[in-house]
Amino acid sequence: MDLALRGRRAVVTGGSLGIGRAIARELAAEGVAVAILARDAPRLEAAARDLSGETGGTVLPIAADLSTAAAVEAAMAAAEAALGGVDILVNNAGATPMGRLGATPDATWAKSIDLKLMGYARAARALTPGMRARRWGRVVNIIGRSGHQPRAAYIVGSSVNAALLAFTHALAQECAADNVLVTGVNPGPIRTPRWDALTEQGAAQAGRSAEAENRAAVEGVALGRLGEPEEVAGLVAFLCSDRAGYITGTMIDVDGGGTRCI
């Protein structure tokens, strides 16, 4: 399927590892010029080189800590300058640890809110005006299913993700008149370095091995396995295309059938 994305320009935050890297690869393979953003400059630069080599596309590294307003504004301005404008924003940066309320200090709440909730909002605030002026744009927020299936042992992540579900709906309403479509993707258990870190944290809290924690995680998954980053990336590329031109303000779970609700 040709998604007719060639010539578009995208920003993917958290693009050096896991789901973000897979999304950047998918978009670059479709002919999209991609700027990937992350904090670790050497790892980011290596990822950009590898992705360019794998896809033959343009993948540019922009190192940034997206937890402050000034850093987000500077990074988005740098991306617009490097790409000549941005048509697609994939918000993916964020790393909230496991933890229950009593064991989670204010600093952990603040860090997650600044990086993920406000990071997504600030990036959209910086880039959607240009999209709206050109009357074409896509914002895809990688959120997580804990926003609508909250867990006590992941209280900060659940709360931030729930806020992002509401943010995505509201932004979609605001931008629809200008043909800027906004969607959310909720990955379930996806095999990434981020998932491995959460598994180790959850295992330590539960007093069991990481292997046992992973087995418990997939027990509720209809497909009975972890997902792969590429299985999220393919959906994101579709949502960025005109084939998804009547989809906005919706959230899609990518979790192997783990979410059961009407």
Side-chain angles (χ1 to χ4, degrees):
M1 179 186 295
D2 181 4
L3 295 179
L5 284 169
R6 186 167 300 279
R8 296 293 186 189
R9 302 153 298 181
V11 164
V12 180
T13 70
S16 64
L17 288 172
I19 291 172
R21 180 174 176 140
I23 291 169
R25 181 189 298 111
E26 191 83 19
L27 292 176
E30 291 287 338
V32 178
V34 183
I36 56 173
L37 279 64
R39 285 176 290 188
D40 188 324
R43 185 168 65 196
L44 184 71
E45 291 165 4
R49 287 194 301 270
D50 291 346
L51 292 173
S52 293
E54 292 167 16
T55 64
T58 299
V59 182
L60 305 175
I62 298 177
D65 179 351
L66 301 179
S67 63
T68 69
V72 173
E73 291 170 6
M76 298 306 141
E80 287 189 305
L83 297 174
V86 174
D87 307 299
I88 296 165
L89 167 63
V90 181
N91 275 317
N92 176 68
T96 304
M98 299 289 291
R100 294 177 179 270
L101 179 61
T104 307
D106 284 3
T108 300
W109 285 87
K111 183 177 180 180
S112 182
I113 291 168
D114 284 340
L115 177 58
K116 192 167 185 181
L117 175 58
M118 292 308 301
Y120 283 26
R122 289 163 176 158
R125 185 169 61 202
L127 295 180
T128 53
M131 298 179 192
R132 298 178 73 174
R134 293 187 294 272
R135 297 193 60 78
W136 198 99
R138 300 290 187 269
V139 178
V140 182
N141 293 325
I142 309 301
I143 302 172
R145 62 177 182 168
S146 64
H148 59 77
Q149 292 199 138
R151 291 179 285 159
Y154 189 51
I155 193 166
V156 178
S158 298
S159 301
V160 169
N161 286 353
L164 282 171
L165 296 177
F167 168 74
T168 301
H169 278 296
L171 185 63
Q173 292 178 28
E174 179 177 340
C175 294
D178 295 316
N179 193 40
V180 174
L181 310 184
V182 185
T183 52
V185 173
N186 297 322
I190 306 295
R191 195 190 314 273
T192 64
R194 163 81 174 139
W195 175 259
D196 291 341
L198 288 176
T199 297
E200 291 177 4
Q201 292 169 15
Q205 291 176 13
R208 58 188 175 189
S209 68
E211 291 77 11
E213 186 74 4
N214 263 324
R215 286 195 299 271
V218 300
E219 281 176 0
V221 175
L223 291 179
R225 63 172 177 84
L226 296 177
E228 300 297 335
E230 292 74 19
E231 294 173 305
V232 180
L235 170 64
V236 172
F238 171 74
L239 290 173
C240 291
S241 76
D242 282 330
R243 288 182 176 267
Y246 201 56
I247 301 175
T248 195
T250 194
M251 316 294 150
I252 303 175
D253 296 330
V254 184
D255 64 358
T259 299
R260 297 175 179 87
C261 60
I262 303 300

